[in-house]
């Protein structure tokens, strides 16, 4: 189903805004927590594992954050699709 031309600019503006926000969060978690702030985060340990937080974010946290952001993006896009009347059947 295609949307009317008048709907497309608003739809794509919202879509690009979602992408920018989610990619910024992913960057902050992966690069920020895993590399830039790793030394500061290494002062803390992940409860129950004993791993330093900076090491954990560099090795596992960025991957988990990315997976969560994928599901968040799917939910946001499904809601946006319904709002603009372009949802899949």
């Amino acid at each position: 189903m295609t949307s009317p031309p008048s709907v497309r600019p608003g739809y794509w503006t919202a879509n690009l805004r979602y992408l920018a926000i989610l990619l910024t969060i992913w960057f902050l978690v992966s690069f920020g927590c895993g590399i830039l702030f790793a030394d500061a985060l290494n002062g803390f340990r992940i409860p129950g594992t004993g791993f330093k937080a900076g090491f954990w974010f560099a090795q596992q946290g960025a991957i988990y954050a990315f997976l969560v952001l994928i599901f968040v993006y799917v939910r946001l896009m499904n809601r946006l699709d319904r709002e603009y009347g372009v949802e899949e059947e």
Side-chain angles (χ1 to χ4, degrees):
M1 176 188 305
T2 60
S3 59
S6 62
V7 171
R8 292 182 189 147
Y11 178 85
W12 285 106
T13 300
N15 185 5
L16 293 175
R17 184 175 51 246
Y18 290 154
L19 282 174
I21 291 168
L22 295 175
L23 288 174
T24 300
I25 292 169
W26 185 45
F27 173 79
L28 291 174
V29 170
S30 63
F31 189 73
C33 294
I35 297 172
L36 294 179
F37 307 120
D39 291 335
L41 288 171
N42 280 336
F44 304 98
R45 295 199 177 263
I46 303 295
T49 65
F51 292 118
K52 294 180 179 180
F55 172 79
W56 185 84
F57 272 107
Q59 300 301 315
Q60 300 294 325
I63 296 168
Y64 292 145
F66 184 66
L67 291 174
V68 167
L69 290 175
I70 289 171
F71 288 106
V72 169
Y73 180 72
V74 167
R75 291 198 57 163
L76 288 172
M77 288 308 298
N78 284 338
R79 185 174 59 181
L80 188 66
D81 288 349
R82 279 192 306 275
E83 182 180 327
Y84 282 93
V86 293
E87 68 270 2
E88 296 177 7
E89 294 178 10

